[in-house]
Amino acid sequence: IKIDVFGALQKENASSAFASYWLAAAGAKVYPTLGNLEFGYMGGLLPDTFSIAACNSSGAKTYSTCLEVNHQCIIVRQTALTSGCFVGNGAILGPSVYRNDLTIGVGTWTPTDSYPLREDG
């Protein structure tokens, strides 16, 4: 139910100047401060499992696969967009910690654990 309610809020407010404020109010972690964020509609997003840094841009009609429904259980994973990420229209994001200054192209699918996206060091 929370994903549906959050989806409805996104459709109304995703492109507004207040996107970072309602993301934080819904339970997403927004760092380091509120503001300086362009966030388009992202379907399937559970705000409690999502964190986003400043200076990010997300296109329209993207989708998050942070929830996986199995026959016996529901698997919940986190997605984190660090500073300077760009997510193109129609991209499908698998759960991961995405590195700084990363561009995820239009229509790109980033499956869970298929390749490391985090820079260590």
Side-chain angles (χ1 to χ4, degrees), residues 9 16 25 34 42 52 57 71 80 87 90 95 97 102 106 110 116 119 121:
L9 284 172
S16 79
L34 297 174
M42 184 178 288
I52 188 166
S57 180
H71 293 292
V87 181
V97 176
L102 178 69
V106 173
T110 60
E119 287 183 322

Side-chain angles (χ1 to χ4, degrees), residues 60-82:
K61 298 182 182 175
T62 58
Y63 190 81
S64 171
T65 59
C66 63
L67 290 180
E68 179 182 332
V69 180
N70 194 318
H71 293 292
Q72 298 181 7
C73 63
I74 296 174
I75 300 169
V76 181
R77 296 187 177 123
Q78 290 186 328
T79 299
L81 294 175
T82 57

Side-chain angles (χ1 to χ4, degrees), residues 83-112:
S83 183
C85 288
F86 172 80
V87 181
N89 294 345
I92 300 173
L93 296 181
S96 187
V97 176
Y98 294 94
R99 69 175 185 255
N100 290 341
D101 301 322
L102 178 69
T103 298
I104 299 171
V106 173
T108 301
W109 174 48
T110 60
T112 305

Side-chain angles (χ1 to χ4, degrees), residues 48-63:
D48 305 290
T49 66
F50 184 67
S51 63
I52 188 166
C55 301
N56 280 307
S57 180
S58 172
K61 298 182 182 175
T62 58
Y63 190 81

Side-chain angles (χ1 to χ4, degrees), residues 1-7:
I1 293 175
K2 187 168 188 174
I3 292 174
D4 294 335
V5 170
F6 187 64

